[in-house]
Amino acid sequence: MPYRQTASTRKNAENKRDGLLRAARSLVASGGFAAATVAAVATRGQVSVGSVYSYFDSRDGLLAEVFRSAAGHEIDVVRAAVTGTDRPATDRLAALIRTFGGRALQGRRMAWALLFEPVNPAVEVERLTYRRFYTDLGEEIIRAGLADGDFVPQDARLAASAVMGAVSEALIGWLRPDSPEPAPGTLDEIERFCFRALGVPVHDREETP
Amino acid sequence: MPYRQTASTRKNAENKRDGLLRAARSLVASGGFAAATVAAVATRGQVSVGSVYSYFDSRDGLLAEVFRSAAGHEIDVVRAAVTGTDRPATDRLAALIRTFGGRALQGRRMAWALLFEPVNPAVEVERLTYRRFYTDLGEEIIRAGLADGDFVPQDARLAASAVMGAVSEALIGWLRPDSPEPAPGTLDEIERFCFRALGVPVHDREETP
Amino acid sequence: MPYRQTASTRKNAENKRDGLLRAARSLVASGGFAAATVAAVATRGQVSVGSVYSYFDSRDGLLAEVFRSAAGHEIDVVRAAVTGTDRPATDRLAALIRTFGGRALQGRRMAWALLFEPVNPAVEVERLTYRRFYTDLGEEIIRAGLADGDFVPQDARLAASAVMGAVSEALIGWLRPDSPEPAPGTLDEIERFCFRALGVPVHDREETP
Amino acid sequence: MPYRQTASTRKNAENKRDGLLRAARSLVASGGFAAATVAAVATRGQVSVGSVYSYFDSRDGLLAEVFRSAAGHEIDVVRAAVTGTDRPATDRLAALIRTFGGRALQGRRMAWALLFEPVNPAVEVERLTYRRFYTDLGEEIIRAGLADGDFVPQDARLAASAVMGAVSEALIGWLRPDSPEPAPGTLDEIERFCFRALGVPVHDREETP
DNA sequence: CATGAATGAGGGTTCATTCAT
DNA sequence: AATGAATGAACCCTCATTCAT
């Protein structure tokens, strides 16, 4: 009875592969891509170094996939949150800011790794796509808002870029192993900042720190 | 004689040290901290590898000092530009944005290295100070502006952070070896973005893209 | 029933084994022994890596057997071509040269692998036998020719060795992935070279390059 | 007093480099290029692994240099032995055969490595040059001899190739760790073989084995 | 028996750091 | 005090071999 690629073996292989991806991902989440050495991934994935190479062509490839996977997930969540071109642009932009920012807040190291940590050319290519997604999305929403008169006239693309920068800087720019959690309400405040920047009248906050 | 000799010796030593710092700095400016290997620094500083260790405890220490030096220079320039608590806050904030942004534009790699490139814990400590300077300065100005009614009520510290993020993201967030120069006028547009965010009425731009 | 089953099982086992040998052989023929990794052999033989070890003790053993098999085939062909102790020695030697050379020309990589490529001690032992076959055969023929006065007096064994060397060097000594086919007529020319070396009067070639 | 590249330091560096080359060469001489791992070279050269990379770009480069050096020496010796276009071609060819063959006899493993052992593309390029030297030289001599009527008409290049093959096969074709030295007189016999092949009347040997 | 995932020794390479001169 | 050769730990990657299923 010859060996057959049964559902269970394939499932298992994918599990292992996923296990390694998870292992790598968790290492990236806690120490950035730099912490995801092949040996570390293997150890955490409870396999040998050689096994890593059964599932991935190279460390660079593995990291690129980790990036794609993590970034893809982020993108999915954000896309879902801002979906619906019939919604008011302000609504959608708020969703973009809060979703992007909220996710960065939980998983700040990962957010930092995805946005900033230098890794290798393959990952840089992925990063380009990842960053472009946010900027394109932001630009599209802002453009829609501009058309509806929600925002004051401005360069939509640059505004999108600036919005992402404001959010990410405020949330993960100060990332340190022991840096404290941003205060609750930070997200609200950033949202207001961005809306003002776009020219949307923002009602006063209740309490002034 | 012994005194003179000591003096000249010390002078010489400081020259060498400075030379190494300059060498390292120029390497960082063109290739980031990663390019500043000990060997590269020694070569460019026209001393031996071993000599580097006469002047610096370790590569980490050297890089930390390079960071301090480069960052200190940036800080000096920016501080000079925004100095004068009697000036209107809007004036000073504009100076902060334009100086910080303008300097980042020339020397984007260095700006990126100072703001984002991961190096080592010692440098991360320095970076904290560096980033804090901008945020503190921005906060102070914004606070002053708030007191004067120049800006709408908001969290001054967070606004400062967001401003820096908006500027740096728009200017160097997309930095890549071959990434194109930002369009002229980008700085103006970012300034307007930030002023709107702070609640300052901004006159329309002449041309709407 | 048990007998039949055993027979069929054994038949099957031998088929598998042969399949693996053929797979390995074809890999050697195109890329030398170095190309015959266990994984490559298994893939080409359409079995699992582990199965290879059901039929062979080790890669070294498998390669040794491949060598034996390929070399044995060469030997059979050459032996058939030179058979008949009643034939004139010149005839038989010509057959040896042309058969050995002709086969080397088609299948130069394999010929090179058999004659020259370093593999492992087990294969070196086989190679000894292989090379000895040619030398023994050549020696025997030359000795017969000497007895008949066909060749001028000389050390038969060394002459046999030299003949093989002349032929193989001229045909596959320059083997490289992109080396061109030897010109037609090369075999004729080598044959004349060898016959002259043995002291046989050789009629002039028609065309002198 | 700054460090200066004195004669002694350079001498020392060259000594070390040479020491490594000698270490590698001796490894090649006893075990072929395969035995010259970086670690083995370092150990035998009594330096650390890292030091090897102070003197050589890569293992491939080191081996290529070992090849060049060893082959170059061979070439020098042979060239010196056959020099003088005014000498009779028979003389020069005898010198070629005896020098090439004599050197192969002492240092058979090295001769084999230079002529046959696969290493890496860089070395293959060198090997091409090395082999071409012998063939070109042989061809030139034979061509001269043909012009003088010393040899019977034939393809000079192929004859040169065949001569080298005959010599190398007879001397190192049987190379094994424990293979016995060829009998004394072997060189004489090969020379006679080659001369006969070229069509030169050869006087009988005194004793027929 | 067959399978192929898993193993890990072994190989090449880099670079911060040390230390004899 | 200056030098830079030397060091070796750490990294990535390959592939023959094993063994649980």
Side-chain angles (χ1 to χ4, degrees):
Chain A
M1 189 186 297
Y3 181 95
R4 267 179 290 151
Q5 168 101 341
T6 61
S8 87
T9 60
R10 173 170 306 140
K11 186 73 169 293
N12 196 290
E14 278 173 19
N15 282 346
K16 280 277 169 59
R17 212 185 127 91
D18 281 0
L20 287 173
L21 280 173
R22 265 201 312 278
R25 194 166 162 168
S26 105
L27 286 163
V28 173
S30 63
F33 287 102
T37 64
V38 175
V41 172
T43 300
R44 183 171 272 253
Q46 286 170 311
V47 300
S48 66
V49 168
S51 280
V52 175
Y53 289 88
S54 310
Y55 298 105
F56 302 93
D57 280 350
S58 65
R59 176 177 185 258
D60 284 359
L62 164 56
L63 294 191
E65 200 152 331
V66 169
F67 190 100
R68 252 196 309 280
S69 150
H73 186 55
E74 296 305 309
I75 285 177
D76 287 347
V77 172
V78 168
R79 204 198 307 270
V82 305
T83 200
T85 47
D86 48 345
R87 289 164 60 195
T90 50
D91 234 45
R92 298 180 68 209
L93 195 75
L96 170 57
I97 291 169
R98 303 189 74 90
T99 312
F100 170 71
R103 294 199 55 83
L105 271 181
Q106 56 177 126
R108 292 195 289 167
R109 187 118 223 142
M110 176 59 91
W112 169 79
L114 293 180
L115 288 171
F116 298 116
E117 188 184 6
V119 190
N120 64 48
V123 163
E124 294 309 310
V125 169
E126 298 294 332
R127 200 199 305 284
L128 211 66
T129 309
Y130 180 58
R131 280 174 159 276
R132 182 131 51 203
F133 163 76
Y134 287 123
T135 322
D136 285 353
L137 184 57
E139 183 183 355
E140 179 229 304
I141 296 174
I142 292 171
R143 226 177 263 287
L146 286 172
D148 291 351
D150 292 333
F151 306 136
V152 302
Q154 59 194 289
D155 181 327
R157 182 152 199 86
L158 190 136
S161 208
V163 163
M164 300 317 298
V167 176
S168 58
E169 175 69 19
L171 297 180
I172 59 174
W174 295 84
L175 187 57
R176 217 87 26 223
D178 59 340
S179 52
E181 293 274 315
T186 301
L187 221 42
D188 297 331
E189 187 69 21
I190 293 179
E191 185 189 332
R192 279 192 290 269
F193 177 93
C194 293
F195 271 91
R196 282 194 305 268
L198 291 164
V200 179
V202 174
H203 51 75
D204 283 8
R205 291 171 304 143
E206 261 110 65
E207 34 173 0
T208 309
Chain B
M1 237 357 159
Y3 173 73
R4 274 184 73 95
Q5 189 149 30
T6 301
S8 87
T9 300
R10 176 167 305 144
K11 184 81 170 290
N12 188 31
E14 280 172 17
N15 283 345
K16 282 268 176 67
R17 219 185 121 87
D18 281 359
L20 286 173
L21 283 173
R22 267 201 310 279
R25 192 165 158 172
S26 106
L27 286 164
V28 173
S30 62
F33 286 100
T37 63
V38 176
V41 171
T43 299
R44 186 172 270 252
Q46 287 169 311
V47 301
S48 66
V49 169
S51 280
V52 175
Y53 286 87
S54 307
Y55 299 109
F56 302 93
D57 279 353
S58 65
R59 178 178 185 255
D60 285 359
L62 163 57
L63 294 191
E65 203 151 328
V66 168
F67 190 101
R68 256 197 304 281
S69 152
H73 186 55
E74 294 305 309
I75 285 176
D76 289 347
V77 172
V78 168
R79 205 196 308 267
V82 305
T83 200
T85 46
D86 48 345
R87 291 164 60 196
T90 49
D91 233 44
R92 297 179 69 210
L93 195 76
L96 171 57
I97 292 170
R98 303 190 75 90
T99 312
F100 171 72
R103 293 198 56 82
L105 272 181
Q106 60 175 124
R108 291 198 290 167
R109 186 119 223 140
M110 175 60 91
W112 171 78
L114 292 179
L115 288 171
F116 298 116
E117 187 183 6
V119 190
N120 62 50
V123 163
E124 294 309 312
V125 169
E126 298 298 329
R127 202 197 307 279
L128 207 67
T129 309
Y130 180 58
R131 282 173 162 277
R132 180 133 51 203
F133 163 76
Y134 286 122
T135 322
D136 286 353
L137 184 56
E139 182 182 354
E140 179 228 305
I141 296 174
I142 293 171
R143 224 176 266 286
L146 286 172
D148 291 351
D150 292 333
F151 306 136
V152 302
Q154 58 194 292
D155 181 327
R157 181 152 200 82
L158 191 137
S161 206
V163 164
M164 301 317 298
V167 176
S168 59
E169 174 68 20
L171 296 180
I172 59 173
W174 294 82
L175 186 59
R176 229 144 309 281
D178 59 340
S179 53
E181 294 273 316
T186 302
L187 219 44
D188 297 330
E189 186 71 19
I190 292 179
E191 187 190 329
R192 278 192 290 268
F193 178 93
C194 293
F195 272 90
R196 281 194 307 267
L198 291 164
V200 180
V202 174
H203 51 75
D204 281 7
R205 292 170 302 145
E206 261 109 67
E207 34 173 0
T208 309
Chain C
M1 236 357 159
Y3 174 71
R4 274 183 74 95
Q5 188 149 31
T6 301
S8 86
T9 299
R10 175 167 306 145
K11 184 79 169 291
N12 188 31
E14 279 173 17
N15 284 345
K16 282 268 178 67
R17 219 183 121 89
D18 281 0
L20 286 173
L21 283 173
R22 267 200 310 279
R25 192 165 160 173
S26 107
L27 285 164
V28 173
S30 62
F33 286 101
T37 63
V38 176
V41 171
T43 299
R44 185 172 271 251
Q46 286 169 310
V47 300
S48 67
V49 169
S51 281
V52 174
Y53 286 86
S54 307
Y55 298 108
F56 303 93
D57 279 352
S58 65
R59 176 178 186 254
D60 286 358
L62 163 58
L63 294 191
E65 202 151 329
V66 168
F67 190 101
R68 256 197 305 282
S69 151
H73 185 55
E74 294 305 309
I75 285 177
D76 288 348
V77 172
V78 168
R79 205 197 307 270
V82 305
T83 202
T85 47
D86 48 346
R87 290 163 60 195
T90 50
D91 233 44
R92 297 179 68 209
L93 195 76
L96 171 57
I97 292 169
R98 304 190 74 90
T99 311
F100 170 71
R103 293 197 56 82
L105 271 181
Q106 59 176 125
R108 292 198 288 167
R109 187 119 222 140
M110 175 59 91
W112 171 79
L114 293 179
L115 289 170
F116 298 117
E117 188 184 4
V119 190
N120 63 49
V123 163
E124 294 309 310
V125 169
E126 298 297 330
R127 201 193 314 275
L128 207 67
T129 310
Y130 180 56
R131 281 171 161 279
R132 181 132 53 205
F133 163 76
Y134 286 123
T135 322
D136 286 353
L137 183 57
E139 182 183 355
E140 179 228 304
I141 297 174
I142 292 171
R143 224 176 265 286
L146 286 172
D148 291 352
D150 291 335
F151 306 137
V152 301
Q154 59 194 290
D155 180 328
R157 181 153 199 82
L158 190 137
S161 207
V163 163
M164 301 317 297
V167 176
S168 59
E169 174 70 18
L171 296 180
I172 59 174
W174 294 83
L175 185 59
R176 227 142 310 281
D178 59 341
S179 52
E181 294 273 316
T186 302
L187 220 44
D188 297 331
E189 186 71 18
I190 292 179
E191 185 190 331
R192 279 192 291 269
F193 177 92
C194 293
F195 272 90
R196 281 194 306 269
L198 291 165
V200 179
V202 173
H203 51 74
D204 281 7
R205 291 171 303 144
E206 262 112 65
E207 35 172 359
T208 309
Chain D
M1 189 186 299
Y3 181 93
R4 266 178 292 150
Q5 168 102 336
T6 62
S8 87
T9 59
R10 174 170 306 140
K11 186 74 169 293
N12 196 290
E14 278 173 19
N15 282 347
K16 280 278 170 57
R17 211 186 128 90
D18 281 0
L20 286 173
L21 280 173
R22 266 202 310 279
R25 195 166 159 167
S26 107
L27 285 163
V28 173
S30 64
F33 286 101
T37 63
V38 175
V41 171
T43 300
R44 184 172 271 253
Q46 286 170 314
V47 299
S48 66
V49 169
S51 280
V52 175
Y53 288 89
S54 309
Y55 297 105
F56 302 93
D57 280 351
S58 65
R59 177 177 184 256
D60 284 359
L62 164 56
L63 294 191
E65 199 151 331
V66 168
F67 190 100
R68 254 196 307 281
S69 151
H73 186 55
E74 296 304 309
I75 285 178
D76 288 346
V77 172
V78 167
R79 204 197 307 268
V82 306
T83 201
T85 46
D86 47 345
R87 290 164 59 194
T90 49
D91 234 44
R92 298 179 68 210
L93 195 75
L96 171 57
I97 291 169
R98 303 188 74 88
T99 311
F100 170 71
R103 294 200 55 82
L105 272 181
Q106 56 176 126
R108 293 196 289 167
R109 186 118 223 142
M110 175 60 89
W112 169 78
L114 293 181
L115 288 170
F116 298 115
E117 187 184 6
V119 190
N120 64 47
V123 163
E124 293 309 309
V125 169
E126 299 293 332
R127 200 200 305 284
L128 211 65
T129 309
Y130 180 57
R131 281 173 159 276
R132 182 131 52 202
F133 163 76
Y134 287 123
T135 321
D136 286 352
L137 184 57
E139 182 182 355
E140 179 228 306
I141 296 174
I142 292 171
R143 226 175 264 288
L146 286 172
D148 290 351
D150 292 335
F151 307 137
V152 302
Q154 60 195 289
D155 181 326
R157 183 154 199 83
L158 190 136
S161 208
V163 163
M164 301 316 299
V167 175
S168 59
E169 174 68 19
L171 297 180
I172 59 172
W174 294 84
L175 187 58
R176 216 91 22 226
D178 59 340
S179 53
E181 293 274 313
T186 302
L187 223 41
D188 296 330
E189 187 69 19
I190 292 179
E191 186 190 331
R192 278 193 290 271
F193 177 93
C194 293
F195 271 90
R196 282 194 306 268
L198 290 164
V200 181
V202 173
H203 51 74
D204 281 8
R205 290 171 304 144
E206 262 112 64
E207 35 172 0
T208 309

